[in-house]
Amino acid sequence: MACRIAVFGTGYLGATHAACMAELGHEVLGVDIDQAKLDKLAAGEAPFYEPGLDDVLKANVDSGRLRFTSSYKEAADFADIHFIGVATPQKRGEFAADVTYVDSVVRTLAPLLTRPAVIFGKSTVPVGTAARLSALAHDIAPAGEAVEVAWNPEFLREGFAVKDTLHPDRIVLGVDTNRPGRAEEVAREVYGDIIAEGVPFVLTDRETAELVKSAANAFLATKISFINAMAEVCEAAGADVTQLADAIGYDNRIGRRFLNAGIGFGGGCLPKDIRAFMARAGELGANHALTFLREVDSINMRRRARMMEMTRDAVGGSLIGATVAILGAAFKPDSDDIRDSPALNIAGQIQLQGASVTVYDPKAIENSRRLFPTLDYASDMRGACKGADVTLVLTEWDEFRSLDPGYLDAVVRHRRIIDGRNCLDPAKWRGSGWSYRGMGRR
Ligand code: UDX
């Protein structure tokens, strides 16, 4: 049955969720305070690059099932099912998450709720947030305790956001187990089509649901840092981390996914989420449990430093006056997101050490220019590699993976390539007369 749903926040999470809920046949109102974003969305255009999202947005805006507004009043009148999908960034100068935006949705929305309603939080929050917001909503909503707060974490990956929302690995729902209310029934209605496909529905308490998300991201970050630690050992021992990952990955208990060594993880989630998780565990008196995540974080940051060293070595020991080409700025392929991007971070550091740096990325140039206006940008690979003493591949876009070395031969000054994502075929590059170096590879 079609539900009426409001989704607060129209960033990555919120815009995708709103569009996908409409795709499931619901009537959806997306709510944000940023009018420019709302105007774009209302025209059926995502304010960021995400494969397939524009089509879903456009189809559902055109059908009238998906609308956008800046009015909380309109949302409270329209729907009794509310999703929170606003950001929870890292606090300035601290590890902890800043939950101001999540709080502010509840503080603004709850006083307008005169009928029974369910608020589903999707944002990644410190454990305990749902219970706190629930008490707050009961206090300030005219409908009082008839307003329920449940937690329904989102696991979508950028680049696969639509698929991950419409065909998730699982749906997790945390409810107030002392007073379960209607949240489960409502969630089963909203996600009816997805559940019918056999997607597991994990019903739990709110604290566990909040922790599931933090734990999943901590595990993924740990897996990446594990293989990057192995890359350090492989480098020291003259071994090859890619073959090592393939070999251990055949063991089903380990699995090959998320074992790609390179310059490490970035983005708007993993780095800040592991830090927020450590901070929250500390507040709860369980800080020892997560001290290993500090190491996960430092291994990850060492990868960026290692890429600097390798670049310096490649150009003869000093970056001053060197010309460096950088292919890739986004934190991962199929995204224009540059939040905490290892690629862009390395580009900036190399420039600060005196090199002249030109960056090319298929989608992320505009965002990069805004963050790092002092770097040079090119509109294609050849432009970036012109006169390069060394070329670095820092995001594994298909365009770079399938690159024929001969395409760059005429423009570079020296045929040297460093593969920060271990995504190129060393034999192909070496066979074409290039010096190739990967990370943790012979
Ligand atoms: C992540 C989680 O995967 C997702 O479930 C959660 O909801 C949000 O955070 P995302 O940030 O989109 O998703 O990116 P992800 O695909 O997890 O990659 C994160 C970073 O790890 C990227 O910088 C990527 O390049 C890096 N990575 C990934 C590696 O360095 N090696 C790998 O093997 C995999």
Side-chain angles (χ1 to χ4, degrees):
M1 209 185 80
C3 307
R4 285 180 159 205
I5 294 174
V7 179
F8 295 83
T10 58
Y12 235 104
L13 169 55
T16 310
H17 191 67
C20 290
M21 291 305 102
E23 182 72 13
L24 289 175
H26 303 306
E27 283 182 59
V28 182
L29 192 57
V31 189
D32 207 300
I33 47 174
D34 182 339
Q35 192 58 46
K37 230 187 225 175
L38 292 172
D39 292 343
K40 267 199 143 180
L41 288 161
E45 228 181 284
F48 44 82
Y49 175 71
E50 177 62 38
L53 182 57
D54 278 352
D55 294 342
V56 181
L57 274 170
K58 183 129 195 14
N60 288 286
V61 166
D62 287 350
S63 76
R65 275 198 303 272
L66 178 59
R67 294 179 300 118
F68 293 92
T69 182
S70 58
S71 161
Y72 273 63
K73 174 82 174 60
E74 189 183 345
D77 289 344
F78 173 75
D80 297 321
I81 304 172
H82 302 282
F83 283 94
I84 304 179
V86 293
T88 50
Q90 187 174 342
K91 277 188 190 164
R92 270 180 96 87
E94 279 181 53
F95 270 18
D98 177 356
V99 291
T100 329
Y101 301 120
V102 174
D103 281 19
S104 127
V105 170
V106 175
R107 279 187 197 286
T108 316
L109 173 68
L112 305 169
L113 298 177
T114 51
R115 305 182 303 262
V118 183
I119 300 176
F120 292 101
K122 292 202 81 64
S123 310
T124 304
V125 291
V127 57
T129 301
R132 182 174 59 75
L133 292 177
S134 175
L136 173 67
H138 291 170
D139 265 3
I140 62 176
E145 301 200 349
V147 175
E148 291 173 40
V149 176
W151 222 257
N152 170 219
E154 181 57 57
F155 303 95
L156 66 81
R157 296 161 298 167
E158 296 187 16
F160 300 91
V162 172
K163 179 184 163 288
D164 284 352
T165 307
L166 291 176
H167 309 282
D169 293 335
R170 75 297 210 186
I171 293 167
V172 176
L173 179 68
V175 301
D176 181 353
T177 38
N178 295 321
R179 299 162 24 112
R182 292 174 53 243
E184 181 190 354
E185 178 194 328
V186 172
R188 286 189 185 276
E189 206 167 306
V190 170
Y191 296 125
D193 287 355
I194 299 177
I195 297 169
E197 279 181 2
V199 170
F201 184 91
V202 181
L203 180 66
T204 181
D205 55 86
R206 293 183 293 207
E207 290 71 22
T208 305
E210 291 166 323
L211 281 173
V212 167
K213 178 59 196 272
S214 308
N217 276 353
F219 190 86
L220 294 173
T222 304
K223 206 169 172 192
I224 300 169
S225 278
F226 173 83
I227 202 64
N228 280 326
M230 293 305 112
E232 290 185 12
V233 179
C234 283
E235 265 162 41
D240 188 308
V241 75
T242 304
Q243 289 179 340
L244 180 135
D246 290 344
I248 61 173
Y250 284 119
D251 184 331
N252 280 336
R253 294 169 303 174
I254 297 174
R256 180 62 177 81
R257 296 174 73 190
F258 271 68
L259 282 185
N260 294 323
I263 54 172
F265 60 80
C269 293
L270 296 191
K272 66 124 177 132
D273 285 352
I274 60 169
R275 292 173 195 152
F277 197 19
M278 283 186 266
R280 185 62 184 139
E283 285 168 10
L284 294 169
N287 41 331
H288 291 310
L290 297 186
T291 43
F292 75 94
L293 287 179
R294 270 183 190 275
E295 200 49 41
V296 166
D297 205 353
S298 355
I299 293 169
N300 192 50
M301 289 315 209
R302 280 209 296 275
R303 302 314 285 162
R304 304 180 185 189
R306 178 71 191 126
M307 178 50 81
M308 298 285 299
E309 272 170 40
M310 288 169 68
T311 310
R312 199 180 296 117
D313 285 355
V315 297
S318 167
L319 286 165
I320 300 171
T323 301
V324 179
I326 293 198
L327 302 182
F331 86 105
K332 69 177 203 181
D334 292 319
S335 168
D336 64 357
D337 196 343
I338 46 144
R339 284 176 294 170
D340 203 353
S341 167
L344 204 53
N345 184 291
I346 289 165
Q349 286 189 52
I350 291 180
Q351 189 194 40
L352 287 175
Q353 306 250 338
S356 136
V357 177
T358 309
V359 180
Y360 165 69
D361 186 283
K363 293 285 176 201
I365 300 271
E366 219 176 291
N367 286 341
S368 304
R369 210 191 289 274
R370 232 172 282 139
L371 189 68
F372 273 102
T374 54
L375 289 168
D376 285 325
Y377 295 94
S379 56
D380 58 23
M381 279 191 273
R382 275 193 169 148
C385 294
K386 204 158 159 239
D389 293 307
V390 61
T391 299
L392 315 185
V393 174
L394 300 185
T395 313
E396 67 277 34
W397 286 94
D398 277 345
E399 190 176 335
F400 308 150
R401 281 174 180 279
S402 58
L403 178 63
D404 172 11
Y407 182 70
L408 299 180
D409 275 357
V411 291
V412 297
R413 187 181 302 151
H414 293 286
R415 289 187 284 172
R416 298 176 185 135
I417 192 142
I418 308 182
D419 182 1
R421 293 293 183 180
N422 290 344
C423 63
L424 306 176
D425 176 2
K428 182 167 98 179
W429 285 83
R430 288 183 182 134
S432 306
W434 283 66
S435 104
Y436 168 94
R437 288 198 68 190
M439 299 195 82
R441 286 176 124 175
R442 269 188 304 276

